[in-house]
Amino acid sequence: MEKERGRREEEEKKRRQEEEDRRTKAEMETNRKQEEEERKKRKDEEKVSQAELDAQLALDRVEQAQCVVMVEQERRDRELAMRIAQSEAELITEEAQTDASLRRGPQVLATKAAAGVKKYDLSKWKYAELRDVINTSCDIELLAACREEFHRRLKVYHAWKSKNKKRTDEGDNQRAPKCVTDYAEQNPAPVMAAAPQEVTMSRQQRYFRIPFIRPADQYKDPQNKKKGWWYAHFDGPWIARQMELHPDKRPIVLVAGKDDMEMCELSLEETGLTRKRGAEILPRQFEEIWERCDGMQYLKSAIESKQARPTYATAMLQNLLK
């Protein structure tokens, strides 16, 4: 009797869990469609804004040309007035003032141009300095700028390496499925400041799973019977954890900080994963595979050796171990 009741309770619990998962996935699909609509709307608004900006720039150029003509005319009139002035002292004074006023124009323009330069210039920072700020800073804007610069350097490095690698090395160092890297090449993400992007995303935790077959294995299995899987956990715009599962091979688990050179260097927006139907999965689905592949032990080891970059995953594990 007890066994029968226990079995029924277990079935009811399983049924409730399946219903909850279905509801959550339906919400995720709705959110994905809503994000797609918002993205299209934003793109249309950007086109309108760009057209307005182009029109304004054209108008500014016309006004600037008229201003130059007017300034030149004023300069000639002033020279004529000075030429007929009776006092040489007054002439010299006026001439000096004229020269100063004429020189002030380019100086003002240069000052305004300098104001447009980005707040943080991190191009000359060393890798160790970027890493230290990412690991310790509480300044949200500086932290986001350092993350942006760090991933920009990763992209440059991997682009250089890809360009100079041998043909025989193709696919040996593939950090993400080809569909992800192809999307990034074909759809460059719009340039936006790092801090607003990170604040906009509110450091959302999102999890994805897509099929992954390495090019080296593709010809060994033309029918794709031994399809692998690529898992990714994004902490805000940047990847925090990554897994690869391939048949007949040991699982590959990677964490930000320790394994940056082997992980996807693209931002979430650049990967196009949010647009892939069925790619986003529940946190529980990711964590189950992560634990099964000894990911928690791997992350714990990286934290203890101070190689893991602070992320949502490291914070959760540290709280769990307290």
Side-chain angles (χ1 to χ4, degrees), residues 151 155 176 180-181 184 234 237-239 264-268 270-271:
H151 285 274
K155 290 173 196 172
V180 171
T181 53
F234 280 83
W238 307 113
I239 198 163
C264 176
E265 71 278 13
L266 304 171
S267 68
L268 179 56
E270 289 172 318
T271 64

Side-chain angles (χ1 to χ4, degrees), residues 1 9 21 34 47 59 64 74 81 83 91 98 101 113 121 125 136 179 209 229 242 272 274 281 293:
M1 199 70 170
E9 288 176 355
D21 286 354
Q34 187 177 353
K47 285 182 180 178
L59 183 61
Q64 189 176 7
E74 288 178 357
R83 214 174 283 127
L91 175 62
T98 302
S101 65
D121 182 9
W125 281 36
T136 60
C179 62
R209 182 188 73 169
W229 292 98
Q242 182 175 311
T274 55
I281 60 175
C293 297

Side-chain angles (χ1 to χ4, degrees), residues 123-309:
S123 58
K124 295 181 181 179
W125 281 36
K126 295 178 182 178
Y127 168 75
E129 293 172 329
L130 290 174
R131 183 194 58 205
D132 289 344
V133 170
I134 291 171
N135 290 344
T136 60
S137 179
C138 296
D139 185 331
I140 295 176
E141 289 189 3
L142 177 59
L143 189 60
C146 286
R147 284 200 186 101
E148 186 78 17
E149 174 63 16
F150 178 78
H151 285 274
R152 183 193 70 79
R153 293 188 190 185
L154 272 182
K155 290 173 196 172
V156 171
Y157 168 76
H158 287 306
W160 171 83
K161 192 173 181 182
S162 176
K163 185 178 179 181
N164 291 278
K165 71 182 178 182
K166 298 178 181 177
R167 292 180 179 272
T168 53
D169 293 337
E170 186 175 358
D172 289 347
N173 192 32
Q174 191 170 354
R175 301 166 303 286
K178 194 171 185 297
C179 62
V180 171
T181 53
D182 286 350
Y183 180 90
E185 290 178 6
Q186 295 164 13
N187 302 274
V191 177
M192 67 185 293
Q197 183 181 11
E198 197 147 331
V199 171
T200 300
M201 299 191 72
S202 303
R203 294 297 293 272
Q204 293 176 336
Q205 308 305 309
R206 302 183 73 171
Y207 305 81
F208 301 88
R209 182 188 73 169
I210 58 174
F212 186 21
I213 301 175
R214 287 188 171 275
D217 298 332
Q218 190 171 359
Y219 303 106
K220 298 177 185 177
D221 182 29
Q223 297 180 346
N224 295 338
K225 291 180 180 178
K226 294 185 177 182
K227 179 173 64 177
W229 292 98
W230 185 81
Y231 289 79
H233 165 209
F234 280 83
D235 178 5
W238 307 113
I239 198 163
R241 292 180 290 172
Q242 182 175 311
M243 285 188 290
E244 289 181 33
L245 274 62
H246 300 282
D248 306 325
K249 293 183 181 179
R250 287 177 60 84
I252 300 173
V253 293
L254 306 168
V255 297
K258 182 177 181 179
D259 305 303
D260 287 326
M261 303 305 287
E262 286 79 45
M263 296 177 73
C264 176
E265 71 278 13
L266 304 171
S267 68
L268 179 56
E269 177 68 20
E270 289 172 318
T271 64
L273 287 170
T274 55
R275 302 187 183 193
K276 278 188 174 294
R277 188 170 186 173
E280 189 163 8
I281 60 175
L282 300 170
R284 179 175 57 80
Q285 292 174 294
F286 181 94
E287 298 298 348
E288 285 176 357
I289 302 297
W290 180 256
E291 290 182 24
R292 197 184 306 163
C293 297
D294 294 328
M296 288 185 69
Q297 188 61 39
Y298 185 77
L299 181 57
K300 180 183 175 185
S301 173
I303 293 172
E304 289 173 348
S305 61
K306 296 184 179 179
Q307 292 177 294
R309 185 180 310 123

